[in-house]
Amino acid sequence: MTTITTASRIPIDGPIETPWKLPYRGNVGMACLIIAESAIFIIFVVAYIYYIGKSLSGPTPAQVLELPILGTICLLSSSIFVHLAVSSLRKENYRGTTLHLGITVLLGTIFLATTAKEWYHLIHDEGLTIKTNLFGTTYYSLVGLHATHVVVGLIMLSLTLVLSLAGRVKEEHSEKLEVLSLYWHFVDAVWIVVFLVVYVLGR
Amino acid sequence: MTTTPVLEAVDETLETQGKPPLNVIYEWLTTVDHKKIGLMYICYALLFLVIGGFEAVLMRIQLAIPNNHFVSPQVFNQLFTMHGTTMVFFMGMPILFGMGNYLVPLMIGARDMAFPRLNAFSFWVSAFAGFLLYFSYIGGSGLYAAGSAPDVGWFAYAPLTSKVFSPGHSTDYWTLAVFLSGIGSIGTALNIVTTILCMRCKGMKMSRMPLLPWLYLVMSGLVFVAVSPLTAAQIMLTFDRYLGAHFFDTQAGGSAILWMHFFWIFGHPEVYVLVLPAFAFANEIIPVFSRKAMFGYPAMVAASVAIGFISLSVWAHHMFTAGLGPAGNTFFVFATMVISVPTGIKIFNWLATIWGGKIIFAVPMMFMVGFLFQFLIAGLTGIMLAAAPFNWQLSASYFVVAHFHYVLVGAIVFSLFGAFYYWYPKVTGKMMDETLGKWHFWLFLIGFHLTFDFMHIPGILGMPRRIYTYEDGRGWNTLNFIVGIGAIFQAVGTLILVYNMIRSYYKGKEAGHDPWDAWTLEWSVPSPPPSYNFAIEPTVNSRRPLWDLKHPEDPDTDYE
Ligand code: HEM
Ligand SMILES: [Cu+2]
């Protein structure tokens, strides 16, 4: 047992299913992250639903919330553009990639701006803060958690955009960009849930 | 056969002898190698095992005689909070993740984890969280006023955690520590899943993968859906404490029951997060020491996956006394009973594996037998507690404490100790001392039964948990004294283990690459394995590749 034997013996010749192909780890990792994040969001959504109408004092959602139509349209359509960015990159259409990434970042920023405007209005004109009542508590937490995810996504997308402008994003990076786009799609999907719960069900 | 040139080249990079110590430390601090990270996890968890065990002994000294004034009520509260938190988050999870980190890539024939840097990050975050928890002893109430560890229980029920009931920062340290440990756990779980799904060596189909990676896969899946809710709940709690939010503030219409739900949505699956790796060790060790292939491999996999799913729907059996109403109670009683079916399948399969085998009673196997027996008993008391009326009677009594320690210590810690003895030769290249191992086993076994068998009785006699002392003349005195003696036995046993590990590292017998005549891939590489594990990426075509190598006349492929 002094010499190392089996290490070099292990490859046994045998029928192996060819080709031996395993999933790309970026995608699997992102899928895991999305599952974990979904669980976090579910807890916040459950808390939101549980506390609908339980606030002991005003203001109520019906009094102060308005449907964020513009922001929603921007965010949802940005999903299409990030998808286009990935497929342009696959086709080695680098200018298309840059363009579509740029539009994605722009649309995401507009969404963020509408949220900021809404919060400004709520805090300044309506006096609703996280302390005011249960509605404030759950509203700012849930929407804030989502906005945090948008910010993170925007940072990553902007970095990619900068790299792309510098001509550093190439066809071989398309798998990675796809992982990022998965994240962005997830953020969008969460927004649909938040929108339904907060602005439709909650009012 | 001779070593391949590749292997030698790799070996050189591992060489630490003769390097200045500073460089060695630097290497460990910056490493992204899954084996080193695994070992760091294990060492830091062992540290916390000793600390948490010390807290347990202090509690038992306090409770050994009635009307004791060894520690004050406040200190007792801090002790059980710190003990519970330490054992679950900073001993149990990290030690199991450490084992997984070390073993999973080796067993699936991969050279490292899928995301080595994320791996290092997760480790350091968890380690930092552990030290943060204990830093509260220094920084807990105001600036550096000593002796103010968290005292809200490891479940931290609302409204105990509100600013009114726990001023100062001790609860914040607890929250942050648990939050960060959650981030670390999710990171590692993500890594384990990706490694298993994307890094298996050629020919290792899912149906050929050893059971240990399978169980780590299920366990990691549970981490995503169980630990994340806790992380979310910690965010809410922090908002309550720092931003004046009202999630768990009953004065403003918030709900304390909601915290209970969120906590136990984590808390119950957490038991399975801890116990699935314990099963995993049993799955590897029992067949090798019975010299038989695992009985019912597909059933084992199916049962594990089933346990993973069912465990998500039983959390409220921790809340029978919170008043959920008859429909709720019935559902959770039923779900809890259902989970005993796959668990029973597992026990049956282990017994069937042992049955008729040529059993070798080395120390790892002895721990496995202890594990099986104690897990069975824990299952029985668990079924008792699952019946709501019975639970109303016994909830928050020492019967519950005895029951869950049967699982946590009797099953998980026993299996873990067995795993230590089994894989120690692989990790260090040295055998552990068998005689010391037997001393450890017997002392720990006797201590365990003295402590936790006898702990059931005061529970039935009505002794509540989380009391710092009790009156004379209730009939609890002798029992509690015996329980205390047992705790000391266990402590001594554990110290023997630590001594054995250190001693064997320097003086142990050379182990060679395959001391147990085992079957899985980790035994095909030298001990300790070189960085990058495999000189040539292996190819397998059965569940027990080394068996096929050693017994070409009777390969596994014929039976699959
Ligand atoms: C090996 C010897 C051990 C002894 C003697 C021991 C003893 C104790 C005692 C006396 C309590 C306080 C019960 C109460 O007042 O309610 C306790 C609580 C607890 N223990 Fe242990 N323990 C041991 C090991 C472990 C291990 C290995 C784990 C986990 C992996 C663990 C997890 C817990 C938990 C979660 C609690 C509940 C804490 C709370 O009520 O907040 N213990 N233990
Ligand atoms: Cu439970």
Side-chain angles (χ1 to χ4, degrees), chain B residues 154-184:
Chain B
W154 85 288
F155 39 78
Y157 283 162
L160 273 183
T161 46
S162 65
K163 274 275 187 211
V164 186
F165 289 100
S166 66
H169 298 304
S170 56
T171 304
D172 303 317
Y173 279 102
W174 181 85
T175 313
L176 255 180
V178 171
F179 174 79
L180 287 178
S181 130
I183 301 287

PDB file of all heavy atoms in Angstrom, chain B residues 154-184:
ATOM      1  N   TRP B 154     -33.797  29.990  21.967  1.00  0.00           N
ATOM      2  CA  TRP B 154     -33.287  29.916  20.584  1.00  0.00           C
ATOM      3  C   TRP B 154     -34.398  30.114  19.583  1.00  0.00           C
ATOM      4  O   TRP B 154     -34.166  30.359  18.414  1.00  0.00           O
ATOM      5  CB  TRP B 154     -32.562  28.581  20.332  1.00  0.00           C
ATOM      6  CG  TRP B 154     -33.447  27.440  19.949  1.00  0.00           C
ATOM      7  CD1 TRP B 154     -34.306  26.783  20.761  1.00  0.00           C
ATOM      8  CD2 TRP B 154     -33.557  26.828  18.658  1.00  0.00           C
ATOM      9  NE1 TRP B 154     -34.951  25.800  20.069  1.00  0.00           N
ATOM     10  CE2 TRP B 154     -34.502  25.796  18.767  1.00  0.00           C
ATOM     11  CE3 TRP B 154     -32.934  27.037  17.414  1.00  0.00           C
ATOM     12  CZ2 TRP B 154     -34.864  24.981  17.688  1.00  0.00           C
ATOM     13  CZ3 TRP B 154     -33.308  26.228  16.349  1.00  0.00           C
ATOM     14  CH2 TRP B 154     -34.253  25.215  16.487  1.00  0.00           C
ATOM     15  N   PHE B 155     -35.679  30.048  20.042  1.00  0.00           N
ATOM     16  CA  PHE B 155     -36.848  30.271  19.190  1.00  0.00           C
ATOM     17  C   PHE B 155     -37.236  31.730  19.191  1.00  0.00           C
ATOM     18  O   PHE B 155     -38.017  32.164  18.372  1.00  0.00           O
ATOM     19  CB  PHE B 155     -38.002  29.446  19.734  1.00  0.00           C
ATOM     20  CG  PHE B 155     -37.999  29.458  21.229  1.00  0.00           C
ATOM     21  CD1 PHE B 155     -38.476  30.553  21.921  1.00  0.00           C
ATOM     22  CD2 PHE B 155     -37.407  28.422  21.933  1.00  0.00           C
ATOM     23  CE1 PHE B 155     -38.387  30.608  23.298  1.00  0.00           C
ATOM     24  CE2 PHE B 155     -37.327  28.474  23.320  1.00  0.00           C
ATOM     25  CZ  PHE B 155     -37.814  29.567  24.004  1.00  0.00           C
ATOM     26  N   ALA B 156     -36.748  32.508  20.195  1.00  0.00           N
ATOM     27  CA  ALA B 156     -36.952  33.953  20.240  1.00  0.00           C
ATOM     28  C   ALA B 156     -38.398  34.366  20.021  1.00  0.00           C
ATOM     29  O   ALA B 156     -38.694  35.235  19.198  1.00  0.00           O
ATOM     30  CB  ALA B 156     -36.049  34.642  19.215  1.00  0.00           C
ATOM     31  N   TYR B 157     -39.315  33.760  20.764  1.00  0.00           N
ATOM     32  CA  TYR B 157     -40.721  34.088  20.581  1.00  0.00           C
ATOM     33  C   TYR B 157     -40.995  35.562  20.809  1.00  0.00           C
ATOM     34  O   TYR B 157     -40.464  36.169  21.735  1.00  0.00           O
ATOM     35  CB  TYR B 157     -41.587  33.284  21.560  1.00  0.00           C
ATOM     36  CG  TYR B 157     -41.791  31.840  21.167  1.00  0.00           C
ATOM     37  CD1 TYR B 157     -42.215  30.902  22.089  1.00  0.00           C
ATOM     38  CD2 TYR B 157     -41.559  31.411  19.870  1.00  0.00           C
ATOM     39  CE1 TYR B 157     -42.404  29.577  21.747  1.00  0.00           C
ATOM     40  CE2 TYR B 157     -41.755  30.094  19.513  1.00  0.00           C
ATOM     41  CZ  TYR B 157     -42.177  29.175  20.446  1.00  0.00           C
ATOM     42  OH  TYR B 157     -42.369  27.870  20.096  1.00  0.00           O
ATOM     43  N   ALA B 158     -41.860  36.133  19.957  1.00  0.00           N
ATOM     44  CA  ALA B 158     -42.390  37.455  20.213  1.00  0.00           C
ATOM     45  C   ALA B 158     -43.369  37.295  21.382  1.00  0.00           C
ATOM     46  O   ALA B 158     -43.983  36.229  21.516  1.00  0.00           O
ATOM     47  CB  ALA B 158     -43.114  37.969  18.984  1.00  0.00           C
ATOM     48  N   PRO B 159     -43.580  38.309  22.200  1.00  0.00           N
ATOM     49  CA  PRO B 159     -42.950  39.627  22.197  1.00  0.00           C
ATOM     50  C   PRO B 159     -41.686  39.729  23.048  1.00  0.00           C
ATOM     51  O   PRO B 159     -41.259  40.834  23.349  1.00  0.00           O
ATOM     52  CB  PRO B 159     -44.055  40.499  22.780  1.00  0.00           C
ATOM     53  CG  PRO B 159     -44.733  39.601  23.762  1.00  0.00           C
ATOM     54  CD  PRO B 159     -44.635  38.207  23.215  1.00  0.00           C
ATOM     55  N   LEU B 160     -41.120  38.564  23.420  1.00  0.00           N
ATOM     56  CA  LEU B 160     -39.902  38.625  24.241  1.00  0.00           C
ATOM     57  C   LEU B 160     -38.822  39.438  23.564  1.00  0.00           C
ATOM     58  O   LEU B 160     -37.964  40.019  24.213  1.00  0.00           O
ATOM     59  CB  LEU B 160     -39.357  37.210  24.452  1.00  0.00           C
ATOM     60  CG  LEU B 160     -39.895  36.406  25.614  1.00  0.00           C
ATOM     61  CD1 LEU B 160     -39.163  35.082  25.674  1.00  0.00           C
ATOM     62  CD2 LEU B 160     -39.681  37.177  26.894  1.00  0.00           C
ATOM     63  N   THR B 161     -38.834  39.441  22.225  1.00  0.00           N
ATOM     64  CA  THR B 161     -37.746  40.081  21.496  1.00  0.00           C
ATOM     65  C   THR B 161     -38.005  41.555  21.238  1.00  0.00           C
ATOM     66  O   THR B 161     -37.200  42.207  20.587  1.00  0.00           O
ATOM     67  CB  THR B 161     -37.568  39.393  20.142  1.00  0.00           C
ATOM     68  OG1 THR B 161     -38.854  39.244  19.562  1.00  0.00           O
ATOM     69  CG2 THR B 161     -36.925  38.052  20.300  1.00  0.00           C
ATOM     70  N   SER B 162     -39.145  42.070  21.708  1.00  0.00           N
ATOM     71  CA  SER B 162     -39.395  43.488  21.436  1.00  0.00           C
ATOM     72  C   SER B 162     -38.473  44.338  22.301  1.00  0.00           C
ATOM     73  O   SER B 162     -37.946  43.877  23.307  1.00  0.00           O
ATOM     74  CB  SER B 162     -40.854  43.816  21.736  1.00  0.00           C
ATOM     75  OG  SER B 162     -41.072  43.645  23.123  1.00  0.00           O
ATOM     76  N   LYS B 163     -38.316  45.571  21.895  1.00  0.00           N
ATOM     77  CA  LYS B 163     -37.418  46.482  22.606  1.00  0.00           C
ATOM     78  C   LYS B 163     -37.787  46.591  24.083  1.00  0.00           C
ATOM     79  O   LYS B 163     -36.932  46.757  24.939  1.00  0.00           O
ATOM     80  CB  LYS B 163     -37.488  47.874  21.968  1.00  0.00           C
ATOM     81  CG  LYS B 163     -36.540  48.025  20.778  1.00  0.00           C
ATOM     82  CD  LYS B 163     -35.145  48.413  21.233  1.00  0.00           C
ATOM     83  CE  LYS B 163     -34.267  48.725  20.030  1.00  0.00           C
ATOM     84  NZ  LYS B 163     -32.869  48.403  20.236  1.00  0.00           N
ATOM     85  N   VAL B 164     -39.105  46.487  24.365  1.00  0.00           N
ATOM     86  CA  VAL B 164     -39.539  46.645  25.748  1.00  0.00           C
ATOM     87  C   VAL B 164     -38.993  45.524  26.624  1.00  0.00           C
ATOM     88  O   VAL B 164     -38.496  45.759  27.720  1.00  0.00           O
ATOM     89  CB  VAL B 164     -41.079  46.618  25.810  1.00  0.00           C
ATOM     90  CG1 VAL B 164     -41.560  46.931  27.211  1.00  0.00           C
ATOM     91  CG2 VAL B 164     -41.657  47.558  24.787  1.00  0.00           C
ATOM     92  N   PHE B 165     -39.092  44.283  26.113  1.00  0.00           N
ATOM     93  CA  PHE B 165     -38.700  43.154  26.947  1.00  0.00           C
ATOM     94  C   PHE B 165     -37.220  42.839  26.845  1.00  0.00           C
ATOM     95  O   PHE B 165     -36.660  42.264  27.769  1.00  0.00           O
ATOM     96  CB  PHE B 165     -39.507  41.908  26.572  1.00  0.00           C
ATOM     97  CG  PHE B 165     -40.930  41.996  26.985  1.00  0.00           C
ATOM     98  CD1 PHE B 165     -41.905  42.337  26.070  1.00  0.00           C
ATOM     99  CD2 PHE B 165     -41.293  41.778  28.306  1.00  0.00           C
ATOM    100  CE1 PHE B 165     -43.225  42.435  26.456  1.00  0.00           C
ATOM    101  CE2 PHE B 165     -42.613  41.876  28.696  1.00  0.00           C
ATOM    102  CZ  PHE B 165     -43.588  42.212  27.768  1.00  0.00           C
ATOM    103  N   SER B 166     -36.619  43.155  25.729  1.00  0.00           N
ATOM    104  CA  SER B 166     -35.174  42.940  25.699  1.00  0.00           C
ATOM    105  C   SER B 166     -34.461  44.176  25.193  1.00  0.00           C
ATOM    106  O   SER B 166     -34.153  44.316  24.013  1.00  0.00           O
ATOM    107  CB  SER B 166     -34.804  41.696  24.907  1.00  0.00           C
ATOM    108  OG  SER B 166     -35.115  41.839  23.577  1.00  0.00           O
ATOM    109  N   PRO B 167     -34.234  45.106  26.100  1.00  0.00           N
ATOM    110  CA  PRO B 167     -33.464  46.303  25.750  1.00  0.00           C
ATOM    111  C   PRO B 167     -32.002  45.918  25.546  1.00  0.00           C
ATOM    112  O   PRO B 167     -31.641  44.764  25.721  1.00  0.00           O
ATOM    113  CB  PRO B 167     -33.631  47.192  26.988  1.00  0.00           C
ATOM    114  CG  PRO B 167     -33.919  46.254  28.102  1.00  0.00           C
ATOM    115  CD  PRO B 167     -34.582  45.042  27.521  1.00  0.00           C
ATOM    116  N   GLY B 168     -31.203  46.862  25.175  1.00  0.00           N
ATOM    117  CA  GLY B 168     -29.803  46.543  24.918  1.00  0.00           C
ATOM    118  C   GLY B 168     -29.686  45.874  23.564  1.00  0.00           C
ATOM    119  O   GLY B 168     -30.634  45.842  22.783  1.00  0.00           O
ATOM    120  N   HIS B 169     -28.512  45.332  23.292  1.00  0.00           N
ATOM    121  CA  HIS B 169     -28.288  44.803  21.952  1.00  0.00           C
ATOM    122  C   HIS B 169     -28.171  43.297  21.884  1.00  0.00           C
ATOM    123  O   HIS B 169     -27.892  42.755  20.831  1.00  0.00           O
ATOM    124  CB  HIS B 169     -27.023  45.412  21.363  1.00  0.00           C
ATOM    125  CG  HIS B 169     -27.124  46.888  21.205  1.00  0.00           C
ATOM    126  ND1 HIS B 169     -28.133  47.468  20.494  1.00  0.00           N
ATOM    127  CD2 HIS B 169     -26.370  47.893  21.692  1.00  0.00           C
ATOM    128  CE1 HIS B 169     -27.990  48.783  20.537  1.00  0.00           C
ATOM    129  NE2 HIS B 169     -26.935  49.066  21.259  1.00  0.00           N
ATOM    130  N   SER B 170     -28.359  42.607  23.014  1.00  0.00           N
ATOM    131  CA  SER B 170     -28.081  41.169  22.967  1.00  0.00           C
ATOM    132  C   SER B 170     -28.963  40.474  21.930  1.00  0.00           C
ATOM    133  O   SER B 170     -28.488  39.637  21.166  1.00  0.00           O
ATOM    134  CB  SER B 170     -28.280  40.552  24.342  1.00  0.00           C
ATOM    135  OG  SER B 170     -29.570  40.822  24.822  1.00  0.00           O
ATOM    136  N   THR B 171     -30.237  40.867  21.867  1.00  0.00           N
ATOM    137  CA  THR B 171     -31.119  40.225  20.890  1.00  0.00           C
ATOM    138  C   THR B 171     -30.687  40.557  19.463  1.00  0.00           C
ATOM    139  O   THR B 171     -30.834  39.737  18.559  1.00  0.00           O
ATOM    140  CB  THR B 171     -32.571  40.669  21.116  1.00  0.00           C
ATOM    141  OG1 THR B 171     -32.902  40.361  22.470  1.00  0.00           O
ATOM    142  CG2 THR B 171     -33.523  39.959  20.194  1.00  0.00           C
ATOM    143  N   ASP B 172     -30.140  41.755  19.275  1.00  0.00           N
ATOM    144  CA  ASP B 172     -29.679  42.110  17.931  1.00  0.00           C
ATOM    145  C   ASP B 172     -28.495  41.254  17.513  1.00  0.00           C
ATOM    146  O   ASP B 172     -28.389  40.861  16.358  1.00  0.00           O
ATOM    147  CB  ASP B 172     -29.298  43.582  17.884  1.00  0.00           C
ATOM    148  CG  ASP B 172     -30.469  44.453  18.300  1.00  0.00           C
ATOM    149  OD1 ASP B 172     -31.583  44.155  17.860  1.00  0.00           O
ATOM    150  OD2 ASP B 172     -30.260  45.394  19.066  1.00  0.00           O
ATOM    151  N   TYR B 173     -27.631  40.977  18.466  1.00  0.00           N
ATOM    152  CA  TYR B 173     -26.527  40.078  18.135  1.00  0.00           C
ATOM    153  C   TYR B 173     -27.063  38.711  17.742  1.00  0.00           C
ATOM    154  O   TYR B 173     -26.595  38.092  16.799  1.00  0.00           O
ATOM    155  CB  TYR B 173     -25.571  39.931  19.324  1.00  0.00           C
ATOM    156  CG  TYR B 173     -24.601  41.068  19.424  1.00  0.00           C
ATOM    157  CD1 TYR B 173     -24.786  42.072  20.347  1.00  0.00           C
ATOM    158  CD2 TYR B 173     -23.510  41.131  18.572  1.00  0.00           C
ATOM    159  CE1 TYR B 173     -23.903  43.119  20.433  1.00  0.00           C
ATOM    160  CE2 TYR B 173     -22.629  42.178  18.647  1.00  0.00           C
ATOM    161  CZ  TYR B 173     -22.823  43.173  19.580  1.00  0.00           C
ATOM    162  OH  TYR B 173     -21.956  44.202  19.641  1.00  0.00           O
ATOM    163  N   TRP B 174     -28.060  38.263  18.486  1.00  0.00           N
ATOM    164  CA  TRP B 174     -28.652  36.956  18.162  1.00  0.00           C
ATOM    165  C   TRP B 174     -29.226  36.983  16.743  1.00  0.00           C
ATOM    166  O   TRP B 174     -28.945  36.106  15.924  1.00  0.00           O
ATOM    167  CB  TRP B 174     -29.753  36.633  19.181  1.00  0.00           C
ATOM    168  CG  TRP B 174     -30.388  35.304  18.945  1.00  0.00           C
ATOM    169  CD1 TRP B 174     -29.942  34.102  19.389  1.00  0.00           C
ATOM    170  CD2 TRP B 174     -31.560  35.044  18.170  1.00  0.00           C
ATOM    171  NE1 TRP B 174     -30.769  33.105  18.942  1.00  0.00           N
ATOM    172  CE2 TRP B 174     -31.770  33.659  18.190  1.00  0.00           C
ATOM    173  CE3 TRP B 174     -32.466  35.845  17.460  1.00  0.00           C
ATOM    174  CZ2 TRP B 174     -32.833  33.047  17.535  1.00  0.00           C
ATOM    175  CZ3 TRP B 174     -33.524  35.240  16.806  1.00  0.00           C
ATOM    176  CH2 TRP B 174     -33.698  33.859  16.854  1.00  0.00           C
ATOM    177  N   THR B 175     -30.022  38.048  16.457  1.00  0.00           N
ATOM    178  CA  THR B 175     -30.668  38.139  15.155  1.00  0.00           C
ATOM    179  C   THR B 175     -29.650  38.162  14.034  1.00  0.00           C
ATOM    180  O   THR B 175     -29.763  37.432  13.044  1.00  0.00           O
ATOM    181  CB  THR B 175     -31.504  39.427  15.079  1.00  0.00           C
ATOM    182  OG1 THR B 175     -32.276  39.526  16.251  1.00  0.00           O
ATOM    183  CG2 THR B 175     -32.407  39.423  13.890  1.00  0.00           C
ATOM    184  N   LEU B 176     -28.641  39.004  14.216  1.00  0.00           N
ATOM    185  CA  LEU B 176     -27.632  39.126  13.174  1.00  0.00           C
ATOM    186  C   LEU B 176     -26.886  37.821  12.980  1.00  0.00           C
ATOM    187  O   LEU B 176     -26.624  37.396  11.843  1.00  0.00           O
ATOM    188  CB  LEU B 176     -26.624  40.202  13.572  1.00  0.00           C
ATOM    189  CG  LEU B 176     -26.753  41.514  12.833  1.00  0.00           C
ATOM    190  CD1 LEU B 176     -25.694  42.478  13.316  1.00  0.00           C
ATOM    191  CD2 LEU B 176     -26.586  41.269  11.333  1.00  0.00           C
ATOM    192  N   ALA B 177     -26.549  37.176  14.100  1.00  0.00           N
ATOM    193  CA  ALA B 177     -25.798  35.930  14.007  1.00  0.00           C
ATOM    194  C   ALA B 177     -26.615  34.890  13.242  1.00  0.00           C
ATOM    195  O   ALA B 177     -26.100  34.221  12.339  1.00  0.00           O
ATOM    196  CB  ALA B 177     -25.448  35.425  15.397  1.00  0.00           C
ATOM    197  N   VAL B 178     -27.889  34.782  13.581  1.00  0.00           N
ATOM    198  CA  VAL B 178     -28.717  33.782  12.910  1.00  0.00           C
ATOM    199  C   VAL B 178     -28.907  34.148  11.441  1.00  0.00           C
ATOM    200  O   VAL B 178     -28.855  33.296  10.555  1.00  0.00           O
ATOM    201  CB  VAL B 178     -30.070  33.640  13.637  1.00  0.00           C
ATOM    202  CG1 VAL B 178     -31.016  32.779  12.843  1.00  0.00           C
ATOM    203  CG2 VAL B 178     -29.852  33.060  15.012  1.00  0.00           C
ATOM    204  N   PHE B 179     -29.092  35.426  11.181  1.00  0.00           N
ATOM    205  CA  PHE B 179     -29.259  35.887   9.801  1.00  0.00           C
ATOM    206  C   PHE B 179     -28.026  35.527   8.967  1.00  0.00           C
ATOM    207  O   PHE B 179     -28.136  34.929   7.893  1.00  0.00           O
ATOM    208  CB  PHE B 179     -29.484  37.398   9.808  1.00  0.00           C
ATOM    209  CG  PHE B 179     -29.537  38.012   8.446  1.00  0.00           C
ATOM    210  CD1 PHE B 179     -30.682  37.923   7.684  1.00  0.00           C
ATOM    211  CD2 PHE B 179     -28.438  38.684   7.931  1.00  0.00           C
ATOM    212  CE1 PHE B 179     -30.732  38.487   6.420  1.00  0.00           C
ATOM    213  CE2 PHE B 179     -28.481  39.252   6.676  1.00  0.00           C
ATOM    214  CZ  PHE B 179     -29.633  39.147   5.915  1.00  0.00           C
ATOM    215  N   LEU B 180     -26.854  35.865   9.495  1.00  0.00           N
ATOM    216  CA  LEU B 180     -25.635  35.600   8.726  1.00  0.00           C
ATOM    217  C   LEU B 180     -25.394  34.106   8.564  1.00  0.00           C
ATOM    218  O   LEU B 180     -24.969  33.649   7.502  1.00  0.00           O
ATOM    219  CB  LEU B 180     -24.435  36.246   9.418  1.00  0.00           C
ATOM    220  CG  LEU B 180     -24.395  37.765   9.298  1.00  0.00           C
ATOM    221  CD1 LEU B 180     -23.199  38.314  10.048  1.00  0.00           C
ATOM    222  CD2 LEU B 180     -24.324  38.169   7.832  1.00  0.00           C
ATOM    223  N   SER B 181     -25.676  33.364   9.618  1.00  0.00           N
ATOM    224  CA  SER B 181     -25.504  31.923   9.490  1.00  0.00           C
ATOM    225  C   SER B 181     -26.445  31.395   8.406  1.00  0.00           C
ATOM    226  O   SER B 181     -26.090  30.481   7.647  1.00  0.00           O
ATOM    227  CB  SER B 181     -25.754  31.255  10.839  1.00  0.00           C
ATOM    228  OG  SER B 181     -26.645  30.202  10.722  1.00  0.00           O
ATOM    229  N   GLY B 182     -27.617  32.016   8.289  1.00  0.00           N
ATOM    230  CA  GLY B 182     -28.550  31.623   7.232  1.00  0.00           C
ATOM    231  C   GLY B 182     -27.981  31.905   5.851  1.00  0.00           C
ATOM    232  O   GLY B 182     -28.057  31.066   4.952  1.00  0.00           O
ATOM    233  N   ILE B 183     -27.384  33.084   5.680  1.00  0.00           N
ATOM    234  CA  ILE B 183     -26.789  33.419   4.390  1.00  0.00           C
ATOM    235  C   ILE B 183     -25.704  32.395   4.033  1.00  0.00           C
ATOM    236  O   ILE B 183     -25.645  31.868   2.920  1.00  0.00           O
ATOM    237  CB  ILE B 183     -26.154  34.826   4.430  1.00  0.00           C
ATOM    238  CG1 ILE B 183     -27.187  35.869   4.790  1.00  0.00           C
ATOM    239  CG2 ILE B 183     -25.465  35.160   3.121  1.00  0.00           C
ATOM    240  CD1 ILE B 183     -28.160  36.179   3.716  1.00  0.00           C
ATOM    241  N   GLY B 184     -24.867  32.097   5.025  1.00  0.00           N
ATOM    242  CA  GLY B 184     -23.807  31.119   4.788  1.00  0.00           C
ATOM    243  C   GLY B 184     -24.383  29.766   4.409  1.00  0.00           C
ATOM    244  O   GLY B 184     -23.906  29.106   3.477  1.00  0.00           O
TER     245      GLY B 184
END
